[in-house]
Amino acid sequence: TPSNLRVGGEPVPGLRVNENGGIWVPQRPRPRRNRKNQGLRDMCAENIVTPANFIYPLFIHTKDYVEEISSMPDCYRHSVESAMREVQEAYNLGVRSVIIFPKIPDELKTNTADECFNPNGLVPDVIKRIKSKFPEISVWTDVALDPYSDQGHDGIVGSDSRGDGGKARILNDETIEQLCRQAVCQARAGADVVAPSDMMDGRIGAIRDALDAHGFTDVSIVSYTAKYASAYYGPFRDALDSAPRESSKAPRNKKTYQMNPANSKEALIEAHLDLAEGADMLMVKPGLPYLDIVKLLSDNTDLPISVYHVSGEYAMMKAAAARGWLNEKETVLETMLCFKRAGANAILTYYAKQAAQWMNE
């Protein structure tokens, strides 16, 4: 029934009275008509997120029990057996991709991070187990030296003092040699996707050539194209003990290789290089504070885009929800939709399993 409601007071210029005696704004297009009920809202939705869009990150360690991560509620360092259960649960909810992040014992860490390409190491073992039991799951791996480094850097630390602030440099080309060995080791174990997160110049082309030369032409490369030197990574570094060490001769930050948060055009430079070097997908990290970069890369490249909803973003949501300041479910699902709307095809998030549960309700 048309509204006949009349609000008292003086007439408002520009408004009219309809034939039923009600107030009428003479407006033909009314976008609200496509939002008036759930059926229409669903029909007209421009973006939809499903569990298949998620990449579920798993922290693993060599211990035979599960450890809580205090700065990341509901996230754990998993034993190998526990990680397998997590993969099963995620798969049952529709998540089809997982990424492995290892916490390596200190006694195995060195500046050159040789443990990263040990064929009998933790990561190859977990890859083989997952692919054996869940062949449909796409296993992603992190390609970087910091979990294996006694310096806490993504690359090999040099012995000179020619770097930032008179500190030692992070050696670019020497690091890439190790990254190639790491990627090939992961591919041999059965990795479907290798994801270089180190931000060394030229590493995508070198890794592509190394994989192809060893017959792994079907292994995908997802490049951390625009990985910013962000303050949002703190809880992750707690989880893996991968922060730059005080004892290192290199700077206590990663600003000489990760991108400056002030820059956006620089992300296009990185994207075009990665495209030319053979990347299959581009990643932006962090996520919510960098939605403009997600949109920028989506609009200016033809490759799929992934986004990393990082540990600091996750921890803030968990903290606000625990205090009753946010509705966790609604906030998380809205956030995932925002990533998709900005142009992300894949979303790496610690909420992957929980969000998938909510989507399945």
Side-chain angles (χ1 to χ4, degrees):
T1 303
S3 171
N4 295 321
L5 178 66
R6 294 293 303 273
V7 179
E10 295 294 322
V12 176
L15 301 185
R16 295 164 59 180
V17 177
N18 64 25
E19 293 186 2
N20 299 308
I23 296 296
W24 176 32
V25 177
Q27 168 79 13
R28 292 190 182 93
R30 295 195 180 220
R32 284 188 58 190
R33 286 194 284 260
N34 286 338
R35 303 194 290 263
K36 65 185 178 183
N37 60 49
Q38 191 63 49
L40 279 171
R41 290 193 294 272
D42 290 343
M43 179 183 293
C44 297
E46 298 173 28
N47 295 282
I48 299 171
V49 181
T50 73
N53 293 117
F54 297 145
I55 309 135
Y56 184 28
L58 290 172
F59 296 117
I60 57 173
H61 63 185
T62 56
K63 300 173 183 177
D64 61 1
Y65 55 87
V66 174
E67 284 183 338
E68 292 185 355
I69 301 170
S70 60
S71 55
M72 298 180 68
D74 300 325
C75 284
Y76 305 89
R77 297 184 195 93
H78 290 279
S79 66
V80 174
E81 293 305 320
S82 173
M84 296 295 286
R85 290 193 293 271
E86 286 295 310
V87 174
Q88 178 72 74
E89 291 175 10
Y91 180 79
N92 291 344
L93 292 166
V95 177
R96 294 294 180 262
S97 299
V98 298
I99 187 167
I100 300 167
F101 294 111
K103 185 179 188 300
I104 302 301
D106 284 347
E107 61 268 22
L108 298 178
K109 295 182 179 183
T110 61
N111 185 25
T112 54
D114 291 349
E115 179 64 20
C116 76
F117 54 87
N118 177 3
N120 300 311
L122 177 61
V123 169
D125 178 44
V126 172
I127 295 171
K128 292 172 185 175
R129 289 174 183 245
I130 293 174
K131 294 303 294 184
S132 175
K133 188 172 182 180
F134 308 101
E136 305 90 349
I137 286 281
S138 180
V139 177
W140 296 36
T141 56
D142 180 42
V143 179
L145 303 190
D146 53 328
Y148 306 87
S149 169
D150 61 3
Q151 308 291 309
H153 274 282
D154 293 44
I156 298 171
V157 176
S159 58
D160 59 33
S161 300
R162 297 170 54 194
D164 190 17
K167 299 285 188 178
R169 291 177 298 154
I170 306 303
L171 303 179
N172 193 91
D173 297 12
E174 293 84 348
T175 295
I176 289 176
E177 184 177 23
Q178 297 291 76
L179 298 175
C180 289
R181 293 179 176 131
Q182 182 182 22
V184 170
C185 174
Q186 294 168 348
R188 282 200 182 108
D192 300 286
V193 179
V194 296
S197 63
D198 57 288
M199 292 299 288
M200 299 296 120
D201 293 335
R203 91 274 201 208
I204 299 302
I207 291 171
R208 183 73 273 162
D209 290 347
L211 290 170
D212 292 355
H214 286 85
F216 299 113
T217 56
D218 58 340
V219 173
S220 306
I221 298 178
V222 175
S223 174
Y224 283 63
T225 295
K227 181 179 180 180
Y228 285 84
S230 172
Y232 284 89
Y233 304 150
F236 177 93
R237 292 174 182 169
D238 289 344
L240 296 186
D241 189 23
S242 60
R245 303 292 180 90
E246 289 185 18
S247 57
S248 176
K249 295 180 180 179
R252 290 294 310 284
N253 58 61
K254 301 188 177 185
K255 294 180 179 180
T256 65
Y257 46 99
Q258 294 178 357
M259 285 179 55
N260 185 344
N263 295 350
S264 58
K265 292 180 181 178
E266 187 180 7
L268 289 177
I269 296 173
E270 295 282 1
H272 293 317
L273 286 170
D274 288 350
L275 176 63
E277 292 176 29
D280 299 291
M281 186 183 296
L282 310 179
M283 183 180 288
V284 176
K285 180 182 179 181
L288 278 177
Y290 293 85
L291 288 179
D292 60 319
I293 308 301
V294 176
K295 181 79 164 93
L296 183 70
L297 297 193
S298 178
D299 288 347
N300 288 278
T301 72
D302 293 325
L303 289 180
I305 305 298
S306 53
V307 64
Y308 197 145
H309 185 222
V310 301
S311 58
E313 301 170 62
Y314 172 86
M316 288 192 298
M317 285 188 177
K318 281 290 184 182
R323 288 160 176 78
W325 298 341
L326 290 176
N327 179 305
E328 186 175 19
K329 175 183 174 180
E330 292 181 2
T331 303
V332 169
L333 295 181
E334 179 182 343
T335 298
M336 301 303 119
L337 190 60
C338 290
F339 288 137
K340 191 73 179 293
R341 189 191 65 234
N345 305 91
I347 303 166
L348 200 168
T349 175
Y350 302 101
Y351 270 114
K353 191 174 78 167
Q354 193 168 9
Q357 287 174 331
W358 288 326
M359 291 176 178
N360 280 283
E361 289 177 353

